[in-house]
Amino acid sequence: MTLLSLTGISKRYGAVTALDRATLEIKAGTLTAIVGASGSGKTTLLRLIAGFEAPDAGRIAFAGAEIAGPSAFVPAHRRAIGLVAQEGALFPHLSVGGNVGFGMDHRSPDAVDALLDAVELDPAIRSRMPHELSGGQQQRVALARALARRPKLMLLDEPFSALDAGLRANMRQMVKRRLTEEGVTGILVTHDQQEALSFADQLAVLEEGRVVQAGSPRELYLQPRTEMLAKFLGDALIIEGIVQSGETDTPLGRVRVGRATADGQVRVLLRPEQVRLVSWSEGTPTAEIVSASFEGPVTVVTFRAAGVQFTLKVPSADAPVQGRASIVLVGTGHVIPQ
Ligand code: ADP
Ligand code: MG
């Protein structure tokens, strides 16, 4: 069942077009990650969904009713939508308990404690002030405060970006558990591609105010619509190839592509994990190693194949560092649409 649908949403600030006919659908009970370069319109999109701004064009429907559009505008406090902003979102003059209890219909110490517990905070901190908390604790309190209003949809605007990597992974798991257990639908804005790929059921990419692709993380990672998207979501080898009957000849060797691909010249995406460099043997596509730079678990190997130079991260344990290696391609290459 669709919980939220955005249809052709545009928003301008003076001469700047922040959103340009953005269209997106969110199913109830799912987690969607939104990624995009800085300035691509991510925060604006969340502010429109939350009701802090009105679109210049398009409609937003939520739980079966139009909440923004030519004939309707439901104000933020009447939408069952919570928002956790990037940082500094707590009321500085209110204690932790005061922040969490703010806006609660039936405020009680027990309810506040239960929410603090739910976001894995010790309820004993209820009387502390926001400036007495670490960054991670502040974000947990902000989440507890947003959950207190029992939203159907939770918007999270890069809530972990100020935290270090270990804490970030921790918070991500906690948020996911919390939303899933409370049956709250979630939208997470992040600039961390790994976070987006692992957090979400759906991934949507914004580019200059437009949703350029939305789908499962797997689909976007393996079958991006554009080269820009391919590179945005991870390391990418994009190579020229000639298709004949569902196979492509490339400088790295022959690779399978979708059977429906028409014969002719194409550009093919391979993810680094699809390219293996193994001990050299006669008659195989050959990589001449140009350089190898050790980086711990992976080694960055630059090599030439059929006159073309490539750079690839390979597992250090069996990375070739000089001489030549054979290239083995695994899986299917993705032909990038022209
Ligand atoms: P993101 O969150 O993806 O970094 P934003 O949604 O914050 O992007 O901004 C999208 C564009 O809209 C940017 O060019 C930004 O400068 C502009 N913008 C956002 N909010 C305002 C505002 N209140 N006034 C003027 N320009 C704005
Ligand atoms: Mg932003």
Side-chain angles (χ1 to χ4, degrees):
M1 192 192 87
T2 300
L3 178 66
L4 176 78
S5 68
L6 307 176
T7 313
I9 294 293
S10 294
K11 179 72 184 173
R12 280 175 298 276
Y13 295 105
V16 177
T17 299
L19 289 173
D20 181 14
R21 289 160 285 166
T23 292
L24 183 64
E25 203 159 283
I26 308 270
K27 292 204 164 53
T30 60
L31 297 173
T32 296
I34 295 182
V35 296
S38 177
S40 58
K42 304 182 297 294
T43 295
T44 304
L45 191 71
L46 292 197
R47 290 179 58 77
L48 283 161
I49 295 169
F52 299 129
E53 308 265 6
D56 296 323
R59 323 168 170 266
I60 305 177
F62 177 63
E66 188 164 308
I67 56 169
S71 57
F73 186 78
V74 176
H77 67 276
R78 303 220 5 249
R79 301 181 182 188
I81 299 176
L83 174 69
V84 178
Q86 190 160 353
E87 56 191 27
L90 297 180
F91 303 119
H93 57 288
L94 289 183
S95 67
V96 166
N99 266 281
V100 174
F102 184 85
M104 243 189 215
D105 289 340
H106 303 287
R107 189 166 167 182
S108 75
D110 283 354
V112 168
D113 285 2
L115 278 163
L116 291 175
D117 192 53
V119 295
E120 295 163 20
L121 281 173
D122 182 349
I125 71 162
R126 75 179 82 74
S127 54
R128 286 211 208 150
M129 298 304 283
H131 73 268
E132 297 172 311
L133 303 176
S134 72
Q137 287 173 324
Q138 289 182 24
Q139 288 306 74
R140 285 173 199 259
V141 174
L143 178 65
R145 186 182 61 186
L147 284 169
R149 302 186 55 207
R150 305 199 147 275
K152 285 199 183 82
L153 174 66
M154 183 70 78
L155 310 175
L156 301 139
D157 194 357
E158 306 207 35
F160 319 130
S161 61
L163 310 178
D164 64 52
L167 192 53
R168 197 156 70 224
N170 230 314
M171 285 285 284
R172 187 161 64 222
Q173 291 313 317
M174 185 276 289
V175 167
K176 190 164 176 164
R177 265 197 307 278
R178 200 53 27 235
L179 296 184
T180 308
E181 280 168 24
E182 312 268 333
V184 178
T185 306
I187 303 180
L188 170 78
V189 163
T190 175
H191 62 262
D192 179 336
Q193 284 78 329
Q194 211 52 51
E195 185 165 282
L197 290 167
S198 60
F199 180 84
D201 304 302
Q202 176 175 238
L203 184 56
V205 183
L206 272 183
E207 227 173 81
E208 295 178 349
R210 306 198 68 146
V211 178
V212 287
Q213 193 171 0
S216 71
R218 186 188 173 79
E219 183 184 333
L220 268 76
Y221 182 72
L222 294 175
Q223 298 169 334
R225 247 179 232 158
T226 66
E227 288 195 29
M228 206 156 145
L229 252 172
K231 290 175 185 156
F232 189 70
L233 290 175
D235 289 339
L237 286 176
I238 293 170
I239 49 181
E240 300 280 343
I242 309 276
V243 176
Q244 207 177 10
S245 325
E247 294 215 318
T248 307
D249 274 316
T250 78
L252 296 175
R254 188 165 268 240
V255 65
R256 233 175 334 117
V257 291
R259 234 176 295 160
T261 312
D263 288 359
Q265 178 117 12
V266 292
R267 287 172 74 73
V268 178
L269 163 71
L270 290 172
R271 292 298 182 185
E273 57 277 14
Q274 293 182 265
V275 184
R276 308 260 160 84
L277 298 177
V278 301
S279 304
W280 188 78
S281 64
E282 196 81 48
T284 55
T286 303
E288 305 283 350
I289 310 302
V290 175
S291 66
S293 156
F294 178 75
E295 287 190 358
V298 295
T299 294
V300 179
V301 178
T302 297
F303 62 94
R304 293 182 73 78
V308 184
Q309 187 153 312
F310 298 94
T311 296
L312 192 66
K313 283 182 189 149
V314 299
S316 292
D318 61 354
V321 294
Q322 58 181 7
R324 57 188 173 179
S326 292
I327 302 167
V328 176
L329 301 181
V330 297
T332 302
H334 168 61
V335 173
I336 296 183
Q338 294 298 317

